[in-house]
Amino acid sequence: MCGIVGYFGPQNPKEVIFNGLRALEYRGYDSAGVAILHQGEFKRVRAEGKLDQLGRRLESESFDGHLGIGHTRWATHGLPIERNAHPHCVGGVSIVHNGIIENHAALRADLKAQGVECSSDTDSELVAHLISQEISGGRNLLQAVLAVLPRLEGAYSILAVSKDQPNEMVAFKFGPPLIVGVSAEEVVVASDIQAIVPHTRQVIFLEDQEVAHVQGTQVTLLNHQGQALDKKPTLVDWSQEKAEKQGYPHFMLKEIFEQPRAVAQALAPHLCLESHQVQLDCELEESFLKDIERVFIVGCGTSFYAGLAGEYLIETWARVPVEVEIASEFRYRQPVLPPQSLVVVISQSGETADTLAALRLVKEQGVQVLSICNVPNSSIDREAQAHLYMNAGVEIGVASTKAFVSTLAVLNLLALALAKAKDRLSGPREAELVQSLLALPSHMETVLAYEKFFAEAAESLKAYRGFLYMGRGIHYPIALEGALKLKELAYMHAEGYAAGEMKHGPLALIDSHMAIVMLAPKDELYEKTLSNLEEAKARGGQIISIGTGEDERLKSLSLHYLALPQTEGLLMPLLEVIPLQLLAYHLADSLGHDVDQPRNLAKSVTVE
Ligand code: F6R
């Protein structure tokens, strides 16, 4: 989603802001711009497309001021063209905006009635007009912002500057994240910690309806009525894993290869290596876990699919009923949450608007929320009452990979902790499962060694009209995740299905132009899965199968067969998702698509 960077300090603002925007690039955007003080005015440079375009335009520009703002825009209102790119400048005011102003139509009509002409199709420009009008009426920047705030509806974060106050910035938020980094020499305001940590680790996370007033290196926090708040910066422990590809052609491939480490890091805080026991390091007491009668898991996209796998894990091991729901549905359907419930919200970014809204709804009902996030101090992490971490390290590729396997690892631990609390797990079985969990990273390395297989297979797979991903049991959510990866990266039609559903519709799709990706590890449903494959093959379907060990039957039915190492049945998803990620990656790459930043998608979906 859109990215905001603002800078006051002794360094060259052009460099700092541009580098900051680079650090946010992974979030997805389609135009970018900066407005930097030069000879007492804000000089604006904007460009459609990627930051390289903006970079070329900035090459010949110089600025003598020490303050500026920049933005990467992910189009919501108005096409992704230069005219709509931020910053929006009106009079001496410049603003950048993330989110949506929902009452934009009424505001636009009001302004039009006053004879105001807009130069873009965006909702954001309207805010610049409103602030500018207040300043023309005699207010300073802070007073103008405070006067405009009550007129805005929606979810937004905004950073505003005015040429009349050349050392000041005013940041305010109601929705998408906004963070102020402070040090003795400089202040960086950004929508993502990645743009701040190269400068300082002392940060203030703005909460909704808070306003930050930057005057030189002094930052004052106010509520939206303008009353000062006593809020101190916190020291962040988010090690800035260098956004470098380290020899890989894409971040996504690097992140796929980091998965063994991600899983080891996700497990480490919660396993006792001496006793081979699960010791869940989170705020939930064993006595609380013991009394839980129902678990709800809520998330979006890949996080939702991880939740679906979590349902199989928790129900199998702890025998606690689980409901898994897409956050955008959950938040609007008035869910019934019985008193002894635990709601688990899953979000890599910790900023997904629907998941955050679901969390707030649950808290209002007095039910305990446990978050599973990758980004510490993100909104969801801050607002949840209990916390587990993916510990996957920074994920830059828009398509989630290592965060997914880390989440699966954490959900395994939660399921086992619940099973223990409910006396459903014997000591020897626990030790066996812990050993299997600890062995996962090395099995994952084995699977990654097949990378070339997919690089070669990709070429022949380009010709298919569509892809049907199928699996049974816990492999079904992994089929859904595989199909999602192919859709978002290769822009090819792919569907995930429970293999048992094949006869209820999708069989009609199958002919020689349809590729079937079947997850068929040797488990109690293996024979049934094989029958599904026979049926697909009889109708001309071209089969890519993923199974366990040497499997001649599966091989004979398949165009391509990939053998995974055998592990505990419910842990197989952590291995079988890797070939699906690699398949999508190589297919997309061979089609010439931008694998790290697929079209129309954003890493952090901070608006509905
Ligand atoms: C798919 C993908 C998205 C996210 C979804 C939720 O590869 O990345 O489907 O999983 O937008 O994001 P988080 O987990 O940040 O809440």
Side-chain angles (χ1 to χ4, degrees):
M1 291 261 122
C2 307
I4 287 177
V5 182
Y7 180 73
F8 169 83
Q11 296 188 51
N12 179 350
K14 177 173 99 169
E15 304 295 326
V16 175
I17 294 168
F18 191 74
N19 291 339
L21 294 179
R22 272 262 185 256
L24 306 189
E25 212 179 1
Y26 75 100
R27 297 163 64 98
Y29 66 103
D30 33 43
S31 61
V34 300
I36 299 172
L37 263 186
H38 180 64
Q39 300 186 346
E41 299 284 341
F42 279 100
K43 188 156 131 188
R44 176 172 69 175
V45 182
R46 300 181 293 176
E48 233 175 273
K50 295 292 174 193
L51 275 176
D52 288 342
Q53 318 257 92
L54 179 68
R56 276 192 285 278
R57 292 195 182 173
L58 281 172
E59 260 165 29
S60 55
E61 300 286 349
S62 58
F63 305 87
D64 62 12
H66 43 256
L67 180 112
I69 57 177
H71 193 258
T72 45
R73 173 173 186 256
W74 190 78
T76 53
H77 292 70
L79 294 171
I81 51 178
E82 185 176 338
R83 182 162 62 83
N84 290 331
H86 300 214
H88 289 286
C89 300
V90 175
V93 170
S94 295
I95 70 118
V96 285
H97 160 225
N98 285 358
I100 294 173
I101 306 294
E102 282 173 1
N103 58 333
H104 65 95
L107 293 175
R108 191 181 293 277
D110 254 19
L111 287 165
K112 201 169 170 198
Q114 296 166 42
V116 171
E117 292 281 334
C118 286
S119 57
S120 76
D121 313 315
T122 64
D123 50 348
S124 317
E125 185 191 345
L126 308 173
V127 181
H129 281 286
L130 295 176
I131 297 176
S132 174
Q133 283 185 336
E134 296 294 339
I135 288 180
S136 303
R139 293 191 148 110
N140 63 29
L141 178 64
L142 176 65
Q143 291 164 341
V145 165
L146 292 171
V148 168
L149 273 181
R151 298 186 61 189
L152 306 181
E153 287 169 20
Y156 50 81
S157 56
I158 297 176
L159 179 62
V161 288
S162 161
K163 69 172 186 166
D164 299 333
Q165 283 150 285
N167 297 333
E168 297 192 18
M169 295 189 270
V170 178
F172 52 107
K173 124 167 172 94
F174 187 69
L178 207 50
I179 306 162
V180 185
V182 289
S183 79
E185 296 86 35
E186 52 190 356
V187 176
V188 186
V189 181
S191 51
D192 186 315
I193 196 97
Q194 292 285 322
I196 295 179
V197 283
H199 300 271
T200 176
R201 280 165 195 268
Q202 295 281 348
V203 300
I204 302 167
F205 293 95
L206 293 193
E207 297 298 336
D208 280 354
Q209 305 205 322
E210 284 182 355
V211 178
H213 183 203
V214 179
Q215 293 168 290
T217 55
Q218 295 302 309
V219 180
T220 315
L221 263 286
L222 310 152
N223 66 15
H224 65 294
Q225 277 114 13
Q227 290 148 339
L229 301 171
D230 184 21
K231 190 166 172 178
K232 302 270 175 295
T234 46
L235 187 67
V236 285
D237 182 25
W238 177 251
S239 63
Q240 188 210 10
E241 247 170 78
K242 276 285 180 89
E244 282 167 8
K245 294 182 188 140
Q246 294 168 0
Y248 288 94
H250 297 102
F251 285 110
M252 183 181 171
L253 193 60
K254 171 177 167 263
E255 286 157 8
I256 290 174
F257 274 84
E258 282 171 349
Q259 293 185 110
R261 180 161 63 103
V263 166
Q265 288 171 178
L267 294 172
H270 313 286
L271 295 181
C272 172
L273 299 182
E274 283 82 49
S275 60
H276 281 127
Q277 282 186 326
V278 177
Q279 292 173 346
L280 202 65
D281 180 14
C282 103
E283 296 85 344
L284 302 178
E285 300 291 331
E286 195 168 328
S287 55
F288 173 81
L289 292 179
K290 193 178 173 58
D291 291 341
I292 288 176
E293 286 175 6
R294 188 172 282 272
V295 174
F296 294 81
I297 307 182
V298 182
C300 300
T302 289
S303 291
F304 167 68
Y305 295 148
L308 285 178
E311 177 178 14
Y312 288 86
L313 296 169
I314 294 171
E315 292 201 341
T316 306
W317 280 326
R319 307 299 300 145
V320 177
V322 181
E323 276 179 46
V324 190
E325 197 154 339
I326 294 168
S328 54
E329 290 299 315
F330 182 88
R331 65 180 286 195
Y332 289 119
R333 74 163 177 85
Q334 301 178 322
V336 178
L337 305 172
Q340 305 290 60
S341 300
L342 171 68
V343 177
V344 181
V345 293
I346 303 178
S347 176
Q348 185 287 131
S349 62
E351 300 295 352
T352 300
D354 285 318
T355 313
L356 182 59
L359 176 156
R360 289 176 178 161
L361 177 97
V362 171
K363 278 176 75 180
E364 272 165 25
Q365 295 195 23
V367 172
Q368 185 83 14
V369 182
L370 166 68
S371 64
I372 302 179
C373 290
N374 196 35
V375 180
N377 292 311
S378 54
S379 303
I380 291 175
D381 181 40
R382 293 202 307 279
E383 293 194 28
Q385 296 123 326
H387 312 84
L388 285 169
Y389 294 97
M390 299 174 191
N391 275 348
V394 181
E395 192 177 69
I396 301 280
V398 165
S400 191
T401 51
K402 60 180 180 169
F404 180 71
V405 289
S406 287
T407 308
L408 293 182
V410 170
L411 286 167
N412 269 282
L413 295 166
L414 177 64
L416 294 178
L418 266 170
K420 276 178 76 169
K422 291 184 172 286
D423 289 329
R424 293 195 174 271
L425 190 63
S426 71
R429 181 70 178 127
E430 180 182 3
E432 208 173 79
L433 287 168
V434 167
Q435 271 169 355
S436 299
L437 284 168
L438 289 169
L440 274 172
S442 104
H443 287 322
M444 295 171 90
E445 297 284 1
T446 310
V447 182
L448 284 166
Y450 292 123
E451 197 230 327
K452 291 277 168 299
F453 172 92
F454 285 104
E456 283 157 23
E459 207 46 45
S460 65
L461 298 175
K462 280 198 289 204
Y464 289 102
R465 190 189 62 227
F467 285 72
L468 206 50
Y469 285 70
M470 289 192 282
R472 284 171 179 262
I474 196 166
H475 313 293
Y476 162 51
I478 308 308
L480 293 170
E481 169 62 5
L484 177 65
K485 289 281 103 74
L486 195 77
K487 273 182 249 197
E488 64 184 333
L489 294 166
Y491 319 147
M492 291 174 95
H493 185 70
E495 281 202 64
Y497 252 99
E501 276 285 289
M502 207 174 84
K503 289 197 193 67
H504 302 283
L507 200 54
L509 287 170
I510 296 176
D511 61 15
S512 59
H513 303 292
M514 178 67 85
I516 317 286
V517 182
M518 185 65 94
L519 299 172
K522 286 220 180 80
D523 60 13
E524 65 286 357
L525 296 172
Y526 171 76
E527 287 299 334
K528 292 184 191 300
T529 308
L530 229 64
S531 310
N532 292 131
L533 270 184
E534 300 270 10
E535 286 156 5
K537 173 116 180 151
R539 282 147 186 94
Q542 302 296 303
I543 292 155
I544 302 148
S545 60
I546 294 163
T548 27
E550 281 306 307
D551 185 334
E552 290 308 324
R553 285 174 71 195
L554 208 47
K555 224 180 201 169
S556 67
L557 288 170
S558 310
L559 185 65
H560 298 291
Y561 168 67
L562 186 77
L564 299 177
Q566 182 75 58
T567 178
E568 192 68 47
L570 289 178
L571 299 185
M572 286 304 288
L574 284 107
L575 305 183
E576 67 200 9
V577 74
I578 296 174
L580 306 190
Q581 295 164 341
L582 287 168
L583 175 71
Y585 168 82
H586 281 294
L587 244 171
D589 191 38
S590 69
L591 288 165
H593 299 321
D594 184 342
V595 185
D596 283 334
Q597 288 171 35
R599 70 182 179 201
N600 306 337
L601 296 182
K603 185 71 185 159
S604 176
V605 184
T606 51
V607 289
E608 280 188 66

